[in-house]
Amino acid sequence: MTTHDGAIIRRSLEQPAAFAELYDRHERVIFRYAARRIGATQADDIASETFLVAFTHRRDFTGSEDARPWLLG
């Protein structure tokens, strides 16, 4: 059974290390998006910053299944 992103994020509120699952699941998508928008040389930094901000604001996530729109926003 696949765990939805919302469940991972909620679990990470009590177990912060669980957020790594979200990173593993979506990092490549975020990196590719950033690389298309600003170039590959800065895409690593943008992807890292995206997940840092998402981790900091994970209580604000209101979705249930796919966190990609939230991460890309």
Side-chain angles (χ1 to χ4, degrees), residues 30-31 33-35 38-39 41-52:
I30 302 302
F31 174 85
Y33 177 78
I38 61 167
T41 57
Q42 293 177 318
D44 275 331
D45 290 339
I46 295 300
S48 296
E49 182 72 16
T50 297
F51 284 97
L52 176 62

Side-chain angles (χ1 to χ4, degrees), residues 22 34 49 53 71:
L22 196 72
E49 182 72 16
V53 169
L71 290 167

Side-chain angles (χ1 to χ4, degrees), residues 14-36:
E14 298 295 323
Q15 301 169 350
F19 198 80
E21 292 178 54
L22 196 72
Y23 178 87
D24 292 343
R25 188 177 284 189
H26 297 297
E27 188 276 334
R28 295 309 309 160
V29 169
I30 302 302
F31 174 85
R32 287 192 308 264
Y33 177 78
R36 283 192 308 271

